[in-house]
Amino acid sequence: MVSKLRSLDEVQAIYDQGHRKFAENRVQDLLEKQRVLAEDIEWHLIGTLQTNKVKYIAPFIRLIHAVDDLSLWKEIHRQGLKWNRIIPCLLQIKIGTEMTKNGFIWDDLCATLEHEEWKSLTNAPIFGVMGMATFTEDHGQVRKEFKLLKSYFDTLSQVYFFRPEFKIISMGMSGDYKLAIEEGSTMVRIGSLIFE
Ligand SMILES: *Cc1c(COP(=O)(O)O)cnc(C)c1O
């Protein structure tokens, strides 16, 4: 579940119900919670990650959802080596129309993957893709964007990522998770709905 903006007590209450996977979108908030909450929590980072902050989360992070450029990917690998950890990552791909939404532009991602360089980034393996649909009431558009991400995932799995661990499609939030699941999501990122 997405625990961003929630207090320690709120997260603890969900933990006490048995939940163990929590996601934050800011490194600072993630570190503050990780420091005090239980050690068996599986922390995910879902937001934009600056290259110079990878080192703070490298010792414990379990999945980084928003790898959106090669230098970030390289740094995660480097920190993985340093901490002797495999740090699973998702490639964030731009599917929404808002300028503010991050992610690789599809053509740029393909150009990046055409170079062999990424294949040596063994400590930052790619487990799948992540995308955020446009924030709109237009379900047709949201569905179209989720379909697009699913098709990107299928292409990547056929052309570049043949290994069985490439299997995650992280899409869907409180407002659009039903559509996302219908379109093939394997991991939804739900925050506000849990607290309503
Ligand atoms: C906040 C956030 C979510 C969860 O959003 P809700 O609408 O609260 O479910 C999911 N993904 C990302 C990247 C987020 O920043």
Side-chain angles (χ1 to χ4, degrees):
M1 70 148 298
V2 177
S3 51
K4 74 168 186 222
L5 307 176
R6 301 296 159 186
S7 69
L8 290 170
D9 286 348
E10 284 175 310
V11 180
Q12 183 66 42
I14 306 271
Y15 177 90
D16 291 341
Q17 288 173 20
H19 204 76
R20 291 296 178 268
K21 295 183 186 182
F22 294 92
E24 291 285 326
N25 70 331
R26 294 184 59 234
V27 169
Q28 187 61 34
D29 299 339
L30 174 57
L31 292 173
E32 280 168 21
K33 286 180 175 135
Q34 190 267 340
R35 213 171 285 138
V36 290
L37 292 168
E39 276 192 21
D40 64 343
I41 290 179
E42 180 181 317
W43 289 105
H44 290 200
L45 188 78
I46 55 176
T48 309
L49 175 57
Q50 286 170 300
T51 304
N52 62 355
K53 292 191 176 161
V54 176
K55 57 180 178 284
Y56 302 120
I57 61 170
F60 66 87
I61 198 75
R62 293 285 285 275
L63 184 63
I64 295 177
H65 286 237
V67 173
D68 61 1
D69 78 24
L70 185 60
S71 54
L72 172 62
W73 192 356
K74 284 184 191 166
E75 173 64 7
I76 297 168
H77 165 70
R78 211 173 65 83
Q79 292 293 332
L81 281 179
K82 187 173 157 196
W83 291 93
N84 195 23
R85 289 192 74 226
I86 299 292
I87 304 176
C89 296
L90 304 180
L91 295 170
Q92 184 176 2
I93 307 175
K94 187 172 165 68
I95 52 170
T97 55
E98 293 112 320
M99 292 300 291
T100 51
K101 292 218 160 128
N102 298 314
F104 273 107
I105 307 292
W106 174 245
D107 290 345
D108 296 342
L109 174 58
C110 292
T112 301
L113 296 175
E114 277 304 311
H115 293 279
E116 301 284 292
E117 201 178 7
W118 63 273
K119 291 190 178 162
S120 64
L121 306 179
T122 47
N123 285 55
I126 300 300
F127 278 31
V129 299
M130 186 274 239
M132 291 173 83
T134 304
F135 189 70
T136 169
E137 293 295 313
D138 181 351
H139 287 188
Q141 178 170 357
V142 172
R143 191 183 287 284
K144 208 172 73 190
E145 292 173 1
F146 286 152
K147 273 192 203 301
L148 187 63
L149 187 62
K150 173 68 165 70
S151 76
Y152 289 157
F153 171 85
D154 290 341
T155 302
L156 292 176
S157 68
Q158 284 155 21
V159 182
Y160 301 106
F161 300 102
F162 310 110
R163 295 159 68 99
E165 64 259 29
F166 187 81
K167 62 179 181 204
I168 299 175
I169 304 177
S170 168
M171 64 182 186
M173 312 178 11
S174 293
D176 56 19
Y177 75 93
K178 285 182 185 151
L179 284 173
I181 290 168
E182 284 169 20
E183 297 304 333
S185 170
T186 66
M187 189 178 279
V188 291
R189 306 180 308 273
I190 309 283
S192 45
L193 197 61
I194 293 170
F195 294 90
E196 270 169 13

